[in-house]
Amino acid sequence: MKTNTIVIAMVGAAVLTTSCASKKELENCQLENKQLTTDYQQSKEQLAASQARVTSLEEQLNDQKRAYAKLQNSLDKSLTNASQNNVSIEKLVDQINESNQYIRHLVEVKSKSDSLNMVLTNNLTRSLSKEELKEVDVQVLKGVVYISLADNMLYKSGSYEINDRAQETLSKIAKIITDYKDYDVLIEGNTDNVPISRENIRNNWDLSCLRASSVVQELQNRYGVDPKRLTAGGRGEYNPLAPNSTEVGKQRNRRTQIIITPKLDQFMDLIDKAPEE
């Protein structure tokens, strides 16, 4: 009888030990699965951002191709006109040289503008923490700096009120804007396509405009940015970065963009007058 009791006790202990070990392994597997899910989500978002950058670069390349084709067409017309009107070769060469000089001047101006924008972008990204960079995307496209901020970082859910978590990031962006006084700033609100109807918010047009206005007033009132440089606008759900068919796509589309661009009149002063035709 005593022997049987000992055997039963040993079997029970073994079952208990096995049960504890299985439970611990299950918990470890759950933690590992959670981490893998998080890593996978971040990888998807990074891939989407990379694809957007590739699309932007392709657009810039196409713009350059069109500009080259336009210049070639202009040159062909000049050669045809020269032939028809018996224009001297010397005069035609002078016209071509003048055009080439103007083109080089435009390239120099664009290079200067791009350099300023890259310095601005580098200064901003260096000032942001690793955590902030996960929710703030900074790009330079066609001479314009785009700073895209996730809505859950800026606002309370379904609202246009700025939350406390956004203040540190906005203060860094405001410093960059203040340092570069020759740039205008457009704040642009964007939403997903989920309808919203709340008190004083009729639809996504209202929400996107109100959110942009909140950021403008925060930059002006809290951080002293000159309001003459600021413009607030909303695009509702009609400027998506990704399809609204998935939660990840909706999350990317719910954003506020701070668009920093050189003032047009100063940019034209750099270019000066074009050669007369």
Side-chain angles (χ1 to χ4, degrees), residues 100 194 212 236 243:
N100 288 338
V194 178

Side-chain angles (χ1 to χ4, degrees), residues 157-168:
S157 179
S159 171
Y160 55 86
E161 294 181 20
I162 304 292
N163 62 36
D164 295 335
R165 192 164 71 94
Q167 296 302 335
E168 184 175 355

Side-chain angles (χ1 to χ4, degrees), residues 32-78:
E32 184 178 355
N33 181 61
K34 185 177 180 181
Q35 183 61 45
L36 288 173
T37 301
T38 300
D39 293 343
Y40 172 70
Q41 187 65 30
Q42 291 177 349
S43 298
K44 284 180 65 179
E45 293 176 358
Q46 292 172 0
L47 176 60
S50 298
Q51 290 173 339
R53 291 190 179 93
V54 169
T55 300
S56 172
L57 291 173
E58 289 176 345
E59 290 178 356
Q60 293 183 53
L61 178 60
N62 290 333
D63 287 343
Q64 295 294 331
K65 288 181 178 178
R66 285 192 288 270
Y68 175 79
K70 186 176 180 180
L71 178 61
Q72 185 64 51
N73 184 50
S74 176
L75 181 59
D76 291 342
K77 287 182 178 179
S78 296

Side-chain angles (χ1 to χ4, degrees), residues 66-94:
R66 285 192 288 270
Y68 175 79
K70 186 176 180 180
L71 178 61
Q72 185 64 51
N73 184 50
S74 176
L75 181 59
D76 291 342
K77 287 182 178 179
S78 296
L79 290 171
T80 301
N81 291 335
S83 175
Q84 291 175 347
N85 300 314
N86 296 320
V87 177
S88 67
I89 297 298
E90 291 80 4
K91 184 176 180 180
L92 180 59
V93 170
D94 288 341

Side-chain angles (χ1 to χ4, degrees), residues 37-38 40-42 44-46 48 134-137 148-155 165 190-194 211 239-257:
T37 301
T38 300
Y40 172 70
Q41 187 65 30
Q42 291 177 349
K44 284 180 65 179
E45 293 176 358
Q46 292 172 0
K134 292 179 181 179
E135 297 177 302
V136 180
D137 181 43
S148 185
L149 302 99
D151 74 318
N152 58 354
M153 186 201 76
L154 281 175
Y155 315 103
R165 192 164 71 94
N190 295 270
T191 70
D192 58 24
N193 65 344
V194 178
R211 286 182 165 178
N239 184 36
L241 292 177
N244 283 299
S245 55
T246 65
E247 285 303 318
V248 174
K250 291 177 182 177
Q251 184 177 359
R252 290 196 65 210
N253 293 334
R254 296 192 300 267
R255 69 199 187 281
T256 296
Q257 284 191 311

